[in-house]
Amino acid sequence: MTTKAKLLQLLVFLLPIFALAQTATINGVILNDEEFPIENVNIKTIFDGTKTNENGFYELKIPANTEVIIEFTHISHKKVQATLNLKNGEIFEFNPILNVNIEQISTVVISGKKRKDIEGIITISPAVIRKIPGANAGVENLLKTLPGVSGNNELSTQYSVRGGNFDENLVYVNGIEVYRPFLVRSGQQEGLSFVNSDLVENIEFSAGGFQAKYGDKLSSVLDITYKKPNAFGVSADLSLLGGSLALETVSKDSKFTGIVGVRYRDNSLLVKAKETETNYDPKFADVQSYLTYQVTDKFELSFLGNASLNKYNYEPQTRQTNFGTLDNPLALLVFYEGQERDSYQTLFGALQGSYQVNDNVNLNLVASTYHTTEEEHFDILAQYRLGQVNSNIGDEDLGEVEFSEGIGGQLNHGRNDLDALITTIEHKGTFTKNDNDFKWSIKYTNEDIRDRLIEWEVIDSAGFSINPPNIDGFNDQPYSPYEGPLTAFQNVNARNSTQINRLQSYVQWSKKSNLGTHDVWYNTGVRSHSWTVKGDGIASQSQTVFSPRAQFAIKPNWNADMLFRISGGFYYQPPFYKELRDANAMVQPSVKAQQSIHFVIGNDYSFNIWERPFKLTSEAYYKKLSDVNPYSVENVRIRYRANNSAEAYAYGLDLRLNGEFVPGTESWFSFGYLKTEENIDNRGYIARPTDQRLKFAALFQDYVPNLPNFKMYLNVVYNTGLPGGSPSYADPYQYQNRLPDYKRADIGFQFVIVDANKQFESGWKKPFKELSLGFEIFNVFDNQNSITNTWVRDVYSKRQYAIPNYLTPRVFNVKTSMRF
């Protein structure tokens, strides 16, 4: 890194340290209409938030000399909203009374203009996430119902945003970036998402045009906040797919708080429902904790920890896939030998210290370590028959293969191992002055990654080994003799030991102001990122990029409640380890950071229908990408070329209408249009692997009016087909077919036995604060969705058939949730 670059980074880091701010304090006790204190009332402003303790007491600091809207919400009471403007140092006592609302369901009620709306960030209720059904329920399951977010594999937690791929999304938990496994090839291997829904307090998501405080990725940010408990509590969830247990505790003096979650998941219910008969033994388990200790009034320590163990043992036996047409029905019969044994072990720990210098300045220091050891070992022999199917109705052999048009087999071998240790130390700070808000950070990361990748595949057709068609000497047996050497159809053999050192920093400024009678808000910032790649047999390479970003929002003083915003900037994605590996798994240290110029324009229109709140969010975007690292996608595995040989673009429109379609509940409908293309090696523009042209999704909540304890949750997704399904050796310029459209609906029914409105003083229900029973149907309409194809050769016609690898069919699940 040059001296000029180092000086600029130092300037970016030191610039914000010269301003101060002023605060006031609001406190009080919140009571119900019978004048009893209410525990766990959420008190939030656009700046901060807190909860009441067991005595209904709360205390919250707010900016002084500023009009602040404060919301008081509780799961079983009507919301109260207050607007205050306090002087510096003033302490104001406010004791609101919340009235009971017997029909209210936990939801995000839309009112007012929160800071997150201005920033273009979507906020999602954790309660909704825990209730919405899905084969892989959780935060990512709900994200896929948002416009601009695509996911065509219900077994995977991976998602793409506005034309980006799975590796272009940032995920933070309590301000700390978290990582995903490196070697996972298919959704059914993934197991558990890092994010534990039982521990979540707040969820924020941005699909593009985000601020400089977020890291260097091209597509999106998912920012999760874990709870800081204010009372003891235990919750548990059990279903046919596994279970979870969460424990919340707080010390008597409230200085120590802790929340611990344990999860176990078994995908057998889903995988064994697929067309491949198999012996499947998955063990996905993890334990997470978030602990805080208030050392002094100004200094707090917190710890975020995670330990996960995912074991995946897979022994396929047989498979039959029917395809073709009514006039020419065909079937693929496969008989397997061998097995796959995978293991993913992860340890993560982060220690954070937060020091409130005064009412205006806050300083943080974070140290974290992520260690993963991953193994994928498999030897699977597949012997197949491709033939015509008996379609004579009434025949005892109906559906059986009568005549074989192709026979053959393939042997897949893998011995893949990876050991990665990622260590980070970061300083962050914030301060405000009047309506100005400054944030800054400097962060150092060391990534030490060692892996061995050994994979080969041998394909046999009618007794003859098939060489790959992209090398000289392609054999065409049995049609012509071949005397050359036999070559594996695919063969990768590499060992790497790589170290990457990164230095990142940012500074940003935000200000709320007025333009005439209109409210306006500004944000601008810049990031810098320097990195060096080195390792055994790898020539050291260093690079630096700077990323300026800006946002502007205005709320006109109109009768209509509307907000307009515009954002953009230069976004860079310096290569992570996976992006440095080429198709032969060799590390290429000279890979550049991919660049994306974002331009986003959006509008929020809030209105009332049927005397209930609704909001229509619209965003149009354009992204110009350069130094693109081309890749191919197989299931959820991404293989990069590691050569920055492409340029690309993406543009689209996202619409989302959400509100109380049913009184007391939030539902939404999403629509997205996207077009993204790339130009590789100046051969012309073609669709990118993530070109999801149209997307429609709906999340709908309902209940029986005369029986409000019986609730229904519906999750519907329709995505047009992605480019893909091609053979692994195919040239994308010669193969631009698309997979079938992805269509899926999941529905869940819940009967609430005990909740905040329905408590019992005696009997077996007395210990419960909450208790419910549920029944779920995944893939209600039993749609046959596929994400990859198996390619089979017909020895007679020389044709290759694309046999779809179907995802999960209709599956039933039962679950119960409880809280003590």
Side-chain angles (χ1 to χ4, degrees):
M1 184 168 60
T2 65
T3 302
K4 185 181 292 184
K6 290 179 178 178
L7 289 174
L8 185 55
Q9 278 195 318
L10 185 61
L11 179 62
V12 164
F13 168 63
L14 294 177
L15 183 62
I17 310 181
F18 306 101
L20 296 172
Q22 300 173 330
T23 63
T25 301
I26 176 175
N27 60 27
V29 176
I30 300 178
L31 307 174
N32 62 19
D33 48 11
E34 296 180 358
E35 297 189 356
F36 287 100
I38 309 174
E39 183 181 359
N40 289 334
V41 176
N42 291 301
I43 303 103
K44 290 188 177 181
T45 71
I46 60 174
F47 307 100
D48 202 358
T50 187
K51 288 185 178 181
T52 57
N53 63 16
E54 60 185 358
N55 298 316
F57 178 80
Y58 73 95
E59 183 174 279
L60 180 66
K61 291 187 181 297
I62 61 175
N65 303 312
T66 302
E67 189 172 272
V68 179
I69 298 174
I70 306 174
E71 289 186 350
F72 300 82
T73 58
H74 189 269
I75 189 171
S76 58
H77 293 77
K78 291 182 179 179
K79 182 183 70 175
V80 169
Q81 188 177 94
T83 302
L84 299 175
N85 192 332
L86 305 180
K87 297 179 181 179
N88 181 39
E90 181 178 355
I91 299 176
F92 181 78
E93 183 176 346
F94 183 57
N95 304 312
I97 294 177
L98 302 191
N99 295 319
V100 174
N101 182 358
I102 61 172
E103 290 185 355
Q104 183 170 342
I105 294 177
S106 180
T107 183
V108 177
V109 179
I110 307 161
S111 65
K113 288 296 168 195
K114 300 180 183 179
R115 174 67 63 89
K116 301 307 175 183
D117 293 331
I118 296 171
E119 296 176 7
I121 288 177
I122 296 174
T123 303
I124 303 172
S125 167
V128 174
I129 287 175
R130 289 189 280 269
K131 294 173 182 176
I132 297 304
N136 212 332
V139 175
E140 296 85 355
N141 176 55
L142 203 62
L143 288 182
K144 295 174 185 179
T145 67
L146 299 178
V149 184
S150 298
N152 286 22
N153 187 342
E154 64 270 9
L155 291 175
S156 172
T157 60
Q158 309 272 24
Y159 54 92
S160 61
V161 179
R162 293 180 176 174
N165 69 31
F166 307 143
D167 295 333
E168 296 177 9
N169 304 310
L170 286 162
V171 180
Y172 292 94
V173 175
N174 287 67
I176 302 163
E177 186 175 357
V178 297
Y179 303 90
R180 299 178 183 270
F182 290 76
L183 296 181
V184 168
R185 292 175 293 113
S186 67
Q188 65 192 41
Q189 293 174 294
E190 282 191 29
L192 295 162
S193 161
F194 183 96
V195 180
N196 186 334
S197 300
D198 294 334
L199 312 187
V200 171
E201 181 178 60
N202 191 48
I203 301 150
E204 297 173 354
F205 179 76
S206 173
F210 41 85
Q211 298 178 2
K213 68 179 180 179
Y214 295 116
D216 295 298
K217 297 283 188 179
L218 297 181
S219 292
S220 75
V221 174
L222 176 62
D223 194 358
I224 305 290
T225 303
Y226 276 1
K227 297 177 185 177
K228 187 177 178 181
N230 51 32
F232 179 81
V234 178
S235 63
D237 290 277
L238 297 172
S239 79
L240 298 180
L241 291 170
S244 65
L245 179 69
L247 172 67
E248 303 177 26
T249 188
V250 61
S251 64
K252 290 184 178 180
D253 58 5
S254 298
K255 288 188 175 183
F256 172 80
T257 71
I259 184 168
V260 179
V262 180
R263 294 181 295 173
Y264 175 80
R265 181 174 174 86
D266 185 341
N267 276 344
S268 298
L269 179 70
L270 299 169
V271 175
K272 289 184 178 180
K274 298 171 71 174
E275 60 192 7
T276 301
E277 295 185 13
T278 177
N279 291 324
Y280 180 64
D281 181 26
K283 292 181 175 64
F284 304 139
D286 79 344
V287 57
Q288 291 190 30
S289 63
Y290 179 57
L291 313 174
T292 69
Y293 184 72
Q294 194 74 37
V295 181
T296 68
D297 291 341
K298 293 188 174 183
F299 182 59
E300 181 183 77
L301 280 174
S302 63
F303 173 78
L304 175 66
N306 174 70
S308 68
L309 173 61
N310 296 339
K311 286 189 175 294
Y312 172 86
N313 298 329
Y314 182 68
E315 188 176 345
Q317 295 175 328
T318 62
R319 163 187 172 181
Q320 177 170 340
T321 302
N322 295 323
F323 65 104
T325 64
L326 291 174
D327 294 333
N328 184 29
L330 299 173
L332 175 70
L333 285 164
V334 186
F335 302 91
Y336 296 95
E337 294 181 38
Q339 62 182 335
E340 176 174 354
R341 293 187 177 273
D342 303 332
S343 175
Y344 309 91
Q345 299 182 52
T346 299
L347 294 173
F348 173 80
L351 183 65
Q352 181 170 200
S354 178
Y355 182 66
Q356 191 76 33
V357 179
N358 51 44
D359 290 341
N360 313 306
V361 181
N362 183 268
L363 303 177
N364 285 269
L365 185 66
V366 185
S368 66
T369 297
Y370 173 84
H371 183 218
T372 180
T373 55
E374 304 176 18
E375 296 179 354
E376 289 186 342
H377 296 175
F378 54 88
D379 287 287
I380 297 178
L381 172 64
Q383 298 172 309
Y384 68 82
R385 291 172 56 205
L386 175 67
Q388 296 179 355
V389 177
N390 185 334
S391 58
N392 295 323
I393 298 177
D395 196 306
E396 63 179 6
D397 295 326
L398 178 67
E400 298 294 329
V401 176
E402 289 188 326
F403 176 74
S404 295
E405 297 183 1
I407 58 174
Q410 63 185 51
L411 176 62
N412 291 90
H413 169 88
R415 293 294 183 272
N416 303 329
D417 301 282
L418 181 140
D419 190 319
L421 179 65
I422 301 174
T423 304
T424 298
I425 185 167
E426 178 181 17
H427 162 66
K428 294 187 291 186
T430 64
F431 62 87
T432 59
K433 183 177 182 180
N434 299 326
D435 290 325
N436 296 277
D437 181 42
F438 294 87
K439 298 181 189 294
W440 75 92
S441 166
I442 186 166
K443 175 180 174 181
Y444 170 76
T445 304
N446 174 262
E447 302 164 7
D448 188 353
I449 303 171
R450 304 172 188 181
D451 81 319
R452 177 189 71 168
L453 189 66
I454 302 175
E455 286 187 18
W456 50 258
E457 178 184 26
V458 175
I459 296 181
D460 167 271
S461 181
F464 300 92
S465 180
I466 303 298
N467 284 354
N470 56 349
I471 68 170
D472 295 334
F474 172 56
N475 56 336
D476 195 27
Q477 300 175 88
Y479 313 105
S480 58
Y482 177 75
E483 297 179 353
L486 296 179
T487 306
F489 197 79
Q490 294 186 80
N491 188 10
V492 176
N493 191 327
R495 289 174 171 81
N496 300 304
S497 179
T498 309
Q499 294 81 45
I500 307 173
N501 293 302
R502 304 181 188 272
L503 182 63
Q504 305 173 59
S505 63
Y506 73 79
V507 59
Q508 71 173 41
W509 162 75
S510 303
K511 179 179 176 62
K512 180 183 177 183
S513 184
N514 299 102
L515 186 63
T517 60
H518 311 304
D519 294 331
V520 295
W521 183 81
Y522 313 88
N523 173 271
T524 185
V526 62
R527 291 188 63 86
S528 67
H529 191 142
S530 299
W531 72 98
T532 301
V533 180
K534 59 183 180 179
D536 295 347
I538 300 173
S540 179
Q541 293 273 351
S542 298
Q543 300 180 59
T544 300
V545 294
F546 295 94
S547 173
R549 307 172 187 180
Q551 295 179 329
F552 172 77
I554 181 169
K555 184 185 183 304
N557 186 20
W558 297 346
N559 291 330
D561 187 358
M562 304 192 78
L563 173 74
F564 298 90
R565 59 179 174 270
I566 185 171
S567 62
F570 289 79
Y571 292 78
Y572 288 90
Q573 181 162 322
F576 199 50
Y577 177 70
K578 286 172 61 177
E579 296 155 74
L580 295 171
R581 288 195 322 192
D582 62 18
N584 296 315
M586 302 302 295
V587 172
Q588 304 297 332
S590 60
V591 174
K592 299 178 182 178
Q594 300 181 84
Q595 182 196 82
S596 177
I597 301 174
H598 284 205
F599 180 78
V600 183
I601 184 168
N603 169 258
D604 289 351
Y605 175 39
S606 299
F607 55 95
N608 288 333
I609 300 178
W610 311 306
E611 298 183 350
R612 297 195 294 270
F614 288 83
K615 182 168 72 173
L616 175 64
T617 301
S618 310
E619 283 196 342
Y621 57 90
Y622 177 80
K623 297 193 282 189
K624 177 64 176 177
L625 295 95
S626 57
D627 291 326
V628 173
N629 193 347
Y631 60 89
S632 61
V633 181
E634 181 183 358
N635 203 308
V636 298
R637 185 188 204 181
I638 297 178
R639 288 182 172 178
Y640 292 93
R641 296 192 183 187
N643 58 13
N644 298 107
S645 61
E647 59 182 0
Y649 68 85
Y651 64 83
L653 174 68
D654 289 340
L655 302 172
R656 177 173 177 252
L657 175 65
N658 65 317
E660 293 189 31
F661 291 90
V662 175
T665 72
E666 183 190 29
S667 302
W668 61 73
F669 295 87
S670 303
F671 170 79
Y673 171 81
L674 163 71
K675 184 174 182 180
T676 180
E677 293 185 324
E678 60 187 353
N679 179 3
I680 305 174
D681 296 324
N682 293 317
R683 297 175 65 187
Y685 280 93
I686 59 172
R688 302 192 78 194
T690 53
D691 185 29
Q692 189 94 69
R693 192 59 51 86
L694 294 175
K695 184 253 178 70
F696 171 81
L699 184 148
F700 196 80
Q701 302 183 69
D702 199 358
Y703 58 88
V704 179
N706 295 327
L707 188 63
N709 290 326
F710 186 71
K711 310 178 191 299
M712 184 276 291
Y713 306 95
L714 178 65
N715 179 4
V716 178
V717 175
Y718 171 80
N719 297 326
T720 54
L722 289 167
S726 63
S728 57
Y729 57 81
D731 182 345
Y733 279 86
Q734 297 178 2
Y735 191 98
Q736 275 290 295
N737 287 3
R738 289 179 179 263
L739 291 163
D741 295 351
Y742 181 85
K743 304 178 287 288
R744 186 176 179 89
D746 300 324
I747 191 169
F749 302 94
Q750 182 189 49
F751 183 74
V752 178
I753 301 171
V754 181
D755 65 4
N757 301 317
K758 193 177 179 182
Q759 297 288 311
F760 295 86
E761 298 298 329
S762 61
W764 65 272
K765 301 174 188 176
K766 181 180 179 181
F768 296 95
K769 292 183 179 179
E770 296 177 15
L771 177 63
S772 64
L773 297 176
F775 176 71
E776 298 174 327
I777 307 175
F778 305 140
N779 196 0
V780 175
F781 303 109
D782 202 22
N783 292 310
Q784 289 189 313
N785 297 308
S786 62
I787 196 170
T788 58
N789 291 323
T790 296
W791 289 85
V792 176
R793 190 178 188 220
D794 179 352
V795 297
Y796 295 98
S797 65
K798 304 183 184 179
R799 290 179 58 190
Q800 287 197 92
Y801 289 93
I803 316 299
N805 297 318
Y806 292 120
L807 294 168
T808 58
R810 182 190 296 118
V811 175
F812 301 93
N813 183 39
V814 293
K815 63 181 296 186
T816 181
S817 300
M818 61 197 74
R819 179 177 175 83
F820 303 92

